[in-house]
Structure formats: C-alpha cells, structure tokens
C-alpha cells in the first residue's frame, strides 16, 4: 500500500490553479489518521465492561496508540478508503471477595496489531494481556476476553463502516453532491481527454464490461517452461509454499478449489495442461451470488520463457460492505501475492 502523499503520479492529478476539482474527476485524498485516533478514543475510552458480575470489575481506560496510515480517496464521487493501522488499548480490573474486599487490582492491555482495508470483512487479531499472571489475574483476563473482546471488535467494525462511508471526507462529499454542476463542456472534455491519455499508459488495464463490474487484464513473463508454471498454479502444496496460506485445489474439471485460507473459492471449468486454466472465482467479501471468471493462458514463445495472459472478468466494483477497493485489491493480489511471489520463491524472474 502506498503511503499517504506518495501515490503514483500517473494517478494523482495536480490541483487546478483555481482550486476546482471538476466533477470530482481527479483523486481527492484526505489523511484520516488523526480522525481515526479521535474516533477510536470516542468509541473505546472509559467503557465499563463488568460492574460487579462475579465480583469482578473491569473497565477500558484509554486508547494509548493508533499508529500506521489511514486515508480516503474520492474520485468521481466514489469513496475508496485505505488503512493499515495498529491499536493499543489499556484496561484495568479488580476482583473482590463475597464481602466486597479487594483481592487483586491489575492493569492490562489489548493489542490489535493489524487493521486493514484489505481485510475489512474479517475481524482482526486481538491480544489480551494482563500484567499479573496469577490465578486471579488470569480470571480477570478470561473475563475480559469473554466480555470485553466482543465490545472492542464491535467498535473496530464501526470504524471500518465509517471509513467505507468516507470518514472525515463524508461531509465534504455530501456538500459537493448538492452543488450544481456548472463546468463548461470544453473543460469537461479537456479533463476526460487527459484522463484517457493517462489510462492508456497503464501497464495493467481495466475495462468496463457491465455496470458495477470490471475486467482485469495482465500479461506477465516468467523464466520457466509453460508446463512448470501450469503445475504450480494447480498444485495446492506449492500454493501453500509461495502464499504462506492454506490451499485446497482439485486438478479435475468441475472440481473445487480454495486458496488464501478460504478467502477465495471457486471451480475448475477448463484445464489444458501447460496451456490453459479457466476457473470461477469468488471472494468471501463479495456480495452474495457474485462469481467472476478467471482465464489464464500459457504461451512459450521460446524454450524457457513463458508468457501468461490473465483475463479476470466480472469483478465487482464494491464488496458487500460498500468498500470500492475490490478492483484495486484484486489487481494488487494477482501482481504482488501471486505472480511476483512465484518469481521470488521459484526463481522464475526475468
């Protein structure tokens, strides 16, 4: 993920001298990290988890750290959130006996090492820590896991939802929607022409097939035989190796597959050894009932050099949560998590 302010200049169009962003055509990027800190403090700080149940008192004290990056891009009125942040929350607990006498007071923390837009449909990992690991301290920790952890996850989901709606840029977007469009046809044509030139220079091309869906095409070159690359794409053990995640892959037409720990599932439609793979693909974060089509053709223009042509059709523009990053994340997944990883792990780079 590119850091805030360091995007590819082909895509970040400079602001006009008059400050106008015509029809929101250009990228409008808003840094959301400080807003994220304030939101998490509002959602989590000073919250009572247990107030005497089982003679236990547990309270979330404060949000100690929110680190990483968070931003919202708006282009043509569409919201595209991006974030990779870590969260540290402090809590305190007290255990009493039946007479109300304090047995132990202990402090603890909740660490959330990775909250990302790429995993917006999944709850992140939480690490609950208590400073006193004695029997009573462990009781407090277990009580926090039972009662406090669901609350923390609920607030993280609230943050994810708020980012999907635009975060701090939401109000600005709503204001712009109410403003009458007064741009001249000449200005609009100039903007569209410039954008067309930029789009034509993309190495990875995206074309619109039908409303709400996109097609991704890529051409990649590898230093290997076509049959070797075909075997890697259809071998679950090698998938586990280069992706460092679980995979189950049938080698039969009509057989199912599951990769990236079940995040992607599908069915083999056509298999020609060393030449062609056609599959149905579905991501778990997509709206129900939506399946895409993946076609991988393998060509060997000369011995030891293989060209793979990818066509991935019917990719939805938004996931079930309204995040408009599906196409970008899918492109990046093919490029960085599959093709580049294969080159690096198996030495097929050119």
């Amino acid at each position: 993920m590119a850091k805030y302010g360091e995007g590819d200049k082909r895509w970040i169009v400079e602001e006009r001298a008059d400050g106008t962003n015509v029809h929101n055509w250009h990228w409008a990027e808003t840094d959301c990290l400080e807003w994220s800190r304030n939101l998490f403090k509002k959602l989590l700080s000073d919250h009572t988890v247990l107030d005497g149940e089982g003679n236990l008192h547990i309270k979330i004290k404060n949000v100690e750290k929110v680190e990483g990056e968070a931003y919202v891009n708006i282009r043509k009125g569409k919201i595209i959130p991006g974030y990779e942040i870590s969260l540290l929350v402090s809590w305190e607990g007290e255990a009493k006996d039946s007479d109300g006498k304090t047995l132990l007071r202990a402090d603890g923390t909740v660490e959330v090492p990775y909250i990302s837009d790429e995993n917006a449909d999944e709850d992140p990992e939480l690490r609950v820590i208590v400073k006193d690991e004695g029997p009573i301290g462990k009781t407090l920790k277990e009580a926090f896991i039972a009662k406090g952890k669901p609350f923390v996850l609920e607030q993280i989901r609230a943050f994810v939802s708020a980012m999907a709606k635009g975060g701090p840029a939401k109000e600005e977007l709503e204001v712009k929607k109410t403003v009458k469009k007064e741009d001249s046809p000449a200005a609009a044509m100039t903007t569209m022409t410039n954008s067309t030139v930029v789009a034509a220079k993309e190495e990875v091309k995206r074309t619109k097939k039908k409303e709400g869906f996109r097609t991704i095409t890529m051409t990649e070159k590898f230093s290997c035989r076509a049959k070797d690359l075909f075997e890697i794409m259809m071998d679950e053990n090698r998938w586990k190796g280069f992706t460092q995640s679980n995979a189950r892959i049938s080698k039969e037409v009509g057989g199912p597959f599951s990769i990236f720990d079940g995040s992607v599932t599908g069915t083999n439609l056509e298999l020609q050894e060393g030449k062609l793979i056609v599959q149905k693909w579905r991501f778990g974060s997509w709206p129900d009932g939506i399946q895409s089509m993946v076609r991988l053709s393998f060509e060997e223009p000369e011995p030891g050099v293989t060209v793979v042509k990818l066509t991935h059709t019917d990719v939805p523009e938004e996931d079930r949560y309204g995040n408009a990053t599906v196409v970008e994340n899918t492109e990046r997944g093919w490029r960085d998590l599959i093709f580049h990883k294969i080159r690096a792990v198996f030495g097929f780079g050119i």
Side-chain angles (χ1 to χ4, degrees):
M1 176 181 293
K3 293 183 178 179
Y4 173 73
E6 296 183 4
D8 190 329
K9 291 183 178 179
R10 294 175 298 173
W11 294 100
I12 307 298
V13 184
E14 293 184 1
E15 295 181 1
R16 287 172 32 149
D18 60 5
T20 303
N21 186 354
V22 181
H23 300 310
N24 277 336
W25 183 271
H26 305 325
W27 286 103
E29 186 165 282
T30 302
D31 186 356
C32 302
L33 185 57
E34 189 60 33
W35 174 88
S36 300
R37 290 193 179 106
N38 292 333
L39 179 61
F40 274 120
K41 288 180 180 179
K42 179 181 178 181
L43 293 173
L44 291 168
S45 296
D46 198 28
H47 174 77
T48 299
V49 175
L50 285 175
D51 191 19
E53 296 91 328
N55 295 322
L56 300 177
H57 299 262
I58 296 177
K59 179 181 180 180
I60 296 175
K61 294 196 298 183
N62 196 19
V63 175
E64 304 296 337
K65 291 182 181 179
V66 177
E67 297 180 337
E69 61 175 340
Y71 56 85
V72 167
N73 286 317
I74 297 178
R75 184 169 187 257
K76 293 193 291 183
K78 181 159 290 187
I79 298 168
I80 306 175
Y83 47 91
E84 287 184 351
I85 60 176
S86 61
L87 180 66
L88 180 65
V89 177
S90 60
W91 61 276
E92 61 184 5
E94 181 181 12
K96 297 182 178 181
D97 61 19
S98 57
D99 295 326
K101 181 180 178 181
T102 298
L103 299 174
L104 176 71
R105 285 193 179 95
D107 292 324
T109 58
V110 179
E111 297 177 2
V112 189
Y114 191 65
I115 304 172
S116 169
D117 61 283
E118 294 183 9
N119 303 316
D121 59 319
E122 303 172 7
D123 286 333
E125 174 191 2
L126 265 69
R127 302 170 186 166
V128 179
I129 299 170
V130 66
K131 294 182 179 179
D132 188 314
E133 284 289 351
I136 300 178
K138 289 182 179 179
T139 298
L140 289 169
K141 176 180 177 179
E142 291 170 359
F144 189 96
I145 292 173
K147 298 293 185 179
K149 180 178 177 180
F151 173 77
V152 175
L153 289 174
E154 181 182 351
Q155 306 318 306
I156 292 174
R157 287 191 288 267
F159 162 78
V160 170
S161 176
M163 285 292 289
K165 294 176 182 177
K170 180 181 179 182
E171 293 182 4
E172 176 186 355
L173 181 61
E174 290 176 346
V175 168
K176 288 183 177 180
K177 285 182 178 179
T178 64
V179 176
K180 183 178 180 180
K181 298 178 181 179
E182 298 177 349
D183 302 294
S184 68
M189 182 60 69
T190 299
T191 304
M192 291 176 67
T193 301
N194 291 340
S195 299
T196 302
V197 172
V198 171
K201 294 181 180 179
E202 285 186 277
E203 182 178 352
V204 177
K205 298 178 181 178
R206 287 176 288 162
T207 57
K208 194 164 186 178
K209 182 178 180 182
K210 59 186 180 181
E211 192 68 29
F213 295 85
R214 298 275 176 169
T215 293
I216 298 170
T217 61
M218 293 185 186
T219 300
E220 300 284 335
K221 188 178 290 187
F222 297 83
S223 179
C224 66
R225 302 302 299 265
K227 66 179 182 65
D228 295 331
L229 192 55
F230 177 92
E231 290 174 0
I232 288 173
M233 297 297 293
M234 294 302 299
D235 187 289
E236 63 184 44
N237 290 322
R238 296 183 191 181
W239 264 91
K240 292 176 184 177
F242 75 79
T243 65
Q244 295 296 294
S245 62
N246 289 325
R248 296 291 300 274
I249 301 174
S250 169
K251 297 183 179 181
E252 304 294 330
V253 173
F257 69 87
S258 171
I259 54 179
F260 293 112
D261 293 326
S263 296
V264 178
T265 56
T267 307
N268 297 325
L269 299 180
E270 185 177 354
L271 300 174
Q272 297 179 26
E273 187 171 359
K275 295 182 179 180
L276 181 67
I277 296 173
V278 181
Q279 298 171 320
K280 284 186 178 180
W281 275 47
R282 171 174 168 75
F283 290 72
S285 59
W286 289 1
D288 293 340
I290 291 180
Q291 295 193 74
S292 63
M293 188 79 70
V294 166
R295 179 184 177 90
L296 289 163
S297 65
F298 303 81
E299 299 176 1
E300 197 169 336
E302 59 183 279
V305 175
T306 296
V307 175
V308 177
K309 294 182 179 180
L310 163 73
T311 304
H312 193 164
T313 60
D314 294 334
V315 178
E317 293 180 341
E318 295 185 353
D319 64 16
R320 67 170 72 236
Y321 305 99
N323 295 307
T325 56
V326 174
V327 178
E328 290 79 2
N329 289 342
T330 304
E331 284 181 354
R332 183 168 50 193
W334 276 109
R335 183 179 60 248
D336 297 342
L337 302 182
I338 297 178
F339 294 140
H340 287 186
K341 287 289 187 180
I342 289 175
R343 289 191 184 95
V345 172
F346 298 102
F348 290 168
I350 290 183

